[in-house]
Amino acid sequence: MVIRGLWVCKIRLVKHFGLTPVLCLLVFSCLFAGLFIDYIESWVTSLRMNGVGGTHGGILPQSVPPTRPEEYLLMPSPLVCQRAKPYLITLVTSAPANTKARQAIRDTWGGEVHVRGYRVMTLFMLGQASDPVLTKQLADEAREHADLVQGRFLDSYANLTLKTLSMLAWARRFCPEARFLAKVDDDVMFNPSALLQYINLNWGAEERELDELYFGRVHLRVEPDHNPTSKHYFSKDAFAGTVFPDYCSGTAYVLSRPAVLKLSLAAAAAPLPKPLPPEDVFVGLCAHTAGITPTHSPLFSGGPPVPYSRCCYQAMVSVHHTQHEEMLQYWADMHSKPPCSWVGVRTSLGVCKLRALLGDLWPGL
Ligand SMILES: *[C@@H]1O[C@H](CO)[C@@H](O)[C@H](O)[C@H]1NC(C)=O
């Protein structure tokens, strides 16, 4: 309908003004849209969100929850946050064996303590390793860097939700002073500076007590997977609705302090179905229970890999699927030259978002 309307309108314009001016207008509009691609994405996503109170049920009590992983085998001093007073704490979910990824993060964005005049801190969340050699190595790593938080549960993909529970409980108990908590996977190129800029731009006014914010890349209207052999299996008894409440992709999302408090309480009270729900779905369900709606941010990368370009990466808050070698390389390049100009960032963001999109539609492009 809309397209036909546009088409008719275009033909009329061509008749009236001739072809060249109309083509120019079209090209100009596309370029202009490219410059503001992130705003357009935000707007389109907000139109498609299913909102609180849609047609979905909550998690039903089903099985005895496994031991709550709210004890910590390794962690920095309990006073770490009282001393450092971070404005932003980033908790990186990492697997015990990913030593290189953790080191790359420490050597790049995770090593920063002051960003844009704010104190920031990065710690790693882990579970227990089944291998005793690895267990010993983790203890050494914790002693050397004092940045590991290890919960009392076996670290496995199926147990990721326990890691999140453990993380939320830790943050509530040991780091209530942080105004923002970012949860990031260890294969994500994260950009605290871009995040703080994004926060200031959208919610500004530092002194005001914040609302309950839960933002990242929002997944819309995801249907539960009832195939028992699937990695993301969700039993029909555990979730009665047809679509999950909209939730932020688990690769990277951010919570404001009030949201951490509410969400961690809701999560601690939620019954845990077996097998455990995917981590991000679980957080979305708890947020829904707590009455917190997610906010979509186009600066968090989603499925399609975002091709590296300096100005684009300066603007993006998170880019998924970044290997540790790439992380070191990109970080060095991003900081080798002065920051990109406004036009540089806008153009580069438009181009890299478009390339990611096209690459997703036609793999191999
Ligand atoms: C999850 O962690 C619990 C507690 O350590 C453990 O008993 C269980 O085997 C783990 N589950 C999986 C699937 O790894």
Side-chain angles (χ1 to χ4, degrees):
M1 219 13 225
V2 175
I3 297 194
R4 231 181 82 196
L6 282 177
W7 190 240
V8 170
C9 169
K10 199 180 135 203
I11 289 174
R12 286 216 187 117
L13 281 175
V14 170
K15 271 199 187 135
H16 202 255
F17 296 106
L19 187 62
T20 326
V22 173
L23 270 182
C24 281
L25 187 72
L26 225 94
V27 170
F28 185 76
S29 318
C30 288
L31 286 179
F32 192 72
L35 284 184
F36 297 98
I37 200 158
D38 46 341
Y39 292 95
I40 297 171
E41 187 185 314
S42 279
W43 175 66
V44 171
T45 311
S46 69
L47 290 183
R48 293 183 55 217
M49 298 229 344
N50 75 22
V52 174
T55 52
H56 36 68
I59 292 185
L60 305 174
Q62 197 213 4
S63 59
V64 185
T67 9
R68 296 290 177 156
E70 280 146 30
E71 275 172 84
Y72 305 96
L73 300 167
L74 296 172
M75 65 176 261
S77 151
L79 300 180
V80 67
C81 278
Q82 279 180 39
R83 291 200 193 108
K85 296 189 179 55
Y87 181 80
L88 164 71
I89 180 161
T90 305
L91 295 172
V92 182
T93 44
S94 183
N98 297 357
T99 321
K100 283 195 175 139
R102 287 193 290 278
Q103 195 51 45
I105 290 173
R106 286 185 194 110
D107 292 340
T108 57
W109 57 267
E112 303 201 298
V113 288
H114 281 107
V115 177
R116 291 183 180 269
Y118 295 102
R119 292 157 179 268
V120 298
M121 186 163 78
T122 302
L123 301 176
F124 298 94
M125 293 298 309
L126 309 124
Q128 287 170 275
S130 45
D131 172 7
V133 177
L134 208 50
T135 306
K136 165 84 176 48
Q137 279 173 7
L138 282 180
D140 293 343
E141 189 180 330
R143 209 170 309 119
E144 185 179 345
H145 297 285
D147 60 1
L148 303 187
V149 179
Q150 187 183 41
R152 192 183 285 279
F153 56 90
L154 183 68
D155 198 303
S156 65
Y157 186 81
N159 265 349
L160 267 187
T161 297
L162 297 185
K163 202 176 275 181
T164 300
L165 274 172
S166 171
M167 173 191 85
L168 288 171
W170 190 88
R172 191 180 79 214
R173 200 162 135 206
F174 295 107
C175 209
E177 32 294 269
R179 296 184 59 104
F180 290 94
L181 162 80
K183 181 270 183 190
V184 178
D185 283 347
D186 67 1
D187 61 347
V188 167
M189 181 78 181
F190 193 60
N191 187 344
S193 169
L195 172 63
L196 292 169
Q197 186 181 32
Y198 180 80
I199 289 173
N200 279 341
L201 214 64
N202 286 279
W203 296 288
E206 203 191 320
E207 292 317 315
R208 184 169 58 93
E209 185 52 34
L210 274 163
D211 302 331
E212 289 141 9
L213 299 174
Y214 163 41
F215 63 95
R217 168 155 294 268
V218 173
H219 286 319
L220 298 162
R221 303 169 184 278
V222 176
E223 291 178 15
D225 186 345
H226 292 311
N227 174 4
T229 57
S230 153
K231 199 167 154 187
H232 300 293
Y233 168 70
F234 219 104
S235 87
K236 278 199 175 126
D237 302 332
F239 182 76
T242 49
V243 287
F244 292 126
D246 297 331
Y247 61 91
C248 293
S249 157
T251 55
Y253 55 83
V254 179
L255 298 163
S256 66
R257 178 167 52 196
V260 172
L261 297 181
K262 261 199 168 179
L263 203 78
S264 63
L265 291 173
L272 294 175
K274 247 182 189 167
L276 288 169
E279 179 271 332
D280 43 10
V281 170
F282 178 74
V283 170
L285 286 164
C286 294
H288 181 65
T289 312
I292 304 171
T293 337
T295 305
H296 178 73
S297 162
L299 299 182
F300 289 65
S301 88
V306 180
Y308 178 75
S309 99
R310 192 170 64 92
C311 298
C312 171
Y313 271 50
Q314 277 183 10
M316 292 293 287
V317 172
S318 82
V319 181
H320 190 205
H321 297 305
T322 312
Q323 302 303 317
H324 53 266
E325 299 94 347
E326 293 167 341
M327 206 178 273
L328 294 165
Q329 191 190 327
Y330 296 168
W331 186 260
D333 186 61
M334 278 163 72
H335 295 83
S336 63
K337 296 183 198 87
C340 298
S341 65
W342 184 83
V343 178
V345 166
R346 292 274 113 208
T347 319
S348 181
L349 199 61
V351 170
C352 80
K353 285 223 147 223
L354 206 65
R355 275 176 68 192
L357 199 70
L358 292 178
D360 194 40
L361 294 178
W362 297 285
L365 195 81

